Amino acid sequence: NGKPFLEIGIFLLFSFLIVAVMLFSSSAYHEKMEPRIREQLTADLDMTIMDHLADIDIRFYDSEKFHNEYVLSTAGISTRVFQNFTLFVSLIKNIFGIITVIPLLVEINSLWIGIVVILFTFVSYKINQKSEDLSYQETAEATPLMRKADYINGLFRKREYTKEIRLNRPAHFIFDQYEKINFQKTDIIKKYGIKKAVLSVIDYVFFQTLIFDFLYSLYLIVQVFQSKITIGDFVGAKNTISIIRKSVTGIIAATAHYITICKSLTASLP
């Protein structure tokens, strides 16, 4: 816009200082505060779970369904609960990122891309939600096998079982069972992995690459050749769409993953 270099330099310096403060704050939080919060959260959740288990009817301890649901709902529970906060922050950050670039879209007459994004966001969200559902089903199906594998591992770690294993020599049978479990787990991974890969390709190729990388770039190139926008506008628009693409992808992934975490945390324990 023909502004003097000094004004541009001051703006860049001010932007740098803002980014520096944000990076420092983020680093201080992740290195100092987050470990303490996570440790306290883990302790509180463990105590809550133990208090709940102390009141559960003893008959549930003979139920395989109970043990499977217990593992499914409590495995890495502190990490998953903490992820809810992280996902919420990510959601806010990505929404703010989209809002900040809307004025540039208006300036270069590309506001229509925002409408297209809204339309395709719903489709992409459904794809991501389906992928997250498949991941949850995969974990639920693999949980009984994981429990069996952990049990077999425990046989060789505890002294009383080690003595019996050495006396009766059932190691070959145990190893065969462990290998069988691993084959079954591999089959589960293959079954769900192929489905998730197909969904990922559909989402990335048709939603992100086709719309953002190809059609929008083609539209901008035509605008440049028709002298409707400048080269500077072209570069700015490309950067803007990169921000929108990253932000929309983050919003979709965070929302879909949040729902899956809530589902696993509310497994039907008695």
Side-chain angles (χ1 to χ4, degrees):
N1 295 323
K3 294 182 179 180
F5 176 79
L6 180 60
E7 184 176 344
I8 296 173
I10 293 175
F11 173 78
L12 292 176
L13 179 61
F14 183 70
S15 301
F16 166 76
L17 291 176
I18 292 177
V19 172
V21 170
M22 292 175 62
L23 290 175
F24 175 79
S25 302
S26 176
S27 178
Y29 168 75
H30 286 296
E31 298 298 332
K32 185 176 181 180
M33 295 181 62
E34 182 177 322
R36 290 189 297 171
I37 296 173
R38 189 186 295 272
E39 189 65 29
Q40 185 61 49
L41 178 64
T42 300
D44 291 343
L45 287 170
D46 286 342
M47 291 176 64
T48 301
I49 293 171
M50 289 186 290
D51 183 63
H52 184 59
L53 290 174
D55 296 331
I56 287 180
D57 194 314
I58 194 69
R59 63 188 174 87
F60 285 112
Y61 286 90
D62 296 324
S63 169
E64 182 179 357
K65 181 175 180 291
F66 163 73
H67 288 286
N68 289 336
E69 291 180 343
Y70 171 78
V71 172
L72 183 62
S73 61
T74 60
I77 186 172
S78 61
T79 300
R80 286 182 286 164
V81 171
F82 197 82
Q83 275 184 330
N84 283 347
F85 172 74
T86 305
L87 291 173
F88 176 75
V89 173
S90 175
L91 189 65
I92 298 300
K93 180 184 70 174
N94 288 314
I95 291 175
F96 182 75
I98 292 177
I99 292 175
T100 56
V101 298
I102 288 179
L104 181 58
L105 292 178
V106 175
E107 184 177 341
I108 61 176
N109 299 319
S110 295
L111 191 59
W112 63 271
I113 192 65
I115 300 174
V116 174
V117 167
I118 293 174
L119 294 175
F120 279 88
T121 294
F122 178 76
V123 178
S124 184
Y125 169 76
K126 287 296 184 181
I127 294 174
N128 276 264
Q129 186 59 59
K130 180 61 178 178
S131 181
E132 288 287 344
D133 288 342
L134 289 173
S135 295
Y136 178 78
Q137 294 171 20
E138 179 182 357
T139 302
E141 194 170 330
T143 295
L145 298 174
M146 293 167 57
R147 286 186 52 234
K148 292 178 182 179
D150 289 340
Y151 173 77
I152 292 176
N153 280 322
L155 295 178
F156 292 88
R157 292 195 303 266
K158 297 182 179 180
R159 185 174 181 179
E160 60 270 25
Y161 296 139
T162 303
K163 291 180 179 180
E164 185 173 344
I165 289 174
R166 292 182 179 182
L167 288 173
N168 298 314
R169 299 292 181 183
H172 290 297
F173 171 76
I174 295 176
F175 291 153
D176 289 342
Q177 293 298 311
Y178 192 79
E179 188 175 23
K180 181 180 178 181
I181 290 172
N182 283 329
F183 282 137
Q184 291 174 325
K185 288 166 63 177
T186 301
D187 290 339
I188 292 174
I189 293 172
K190 288 180 180 178
K191 180 176 70 174
Y192 289 98
I194 294 175
K195 295 178 181 179
K196 289 191 293 184
V198 171
L199 290 174
S200 178
V201 168
I202 292 174
D203 181 42
Y204 186 79
V205 172
F206 291 99
F207 174 65
Q208 298 187 39
T209 305
L210 178 63
I211 298 299
F212 291 132
D213 289 340
F214 178 71
L215 293 181
Y216 187 65
S217 297
L218 185 62
Y219 167 77
L220 291 177
I221 292 172
V222 172
Q223 293 285 88
V224 171
F225 275 98
Q226 292 178 349
S227 300
K228 293 182 179 180
I229 62 174
T230 65
I231 296 297
D233 290 334
F234 175 84
V235 175
K238 283 292 292 181
N239 291 336
T240 299
I241 207 62
S242 297
I243 295 174
I244 291 179
R245 173 179 175 176
K246 183 179 180 181
S247 299
V248 169
T249 302
I251 291 172
I252 292 171
T255 306
H257 194 52
Y258 174 81
I259 293 175
T260 302
I261 290 176
C262 292
K263 184 186 297 184
S264 64
L265 290 175
T266 55
S268 54
L269 289 173

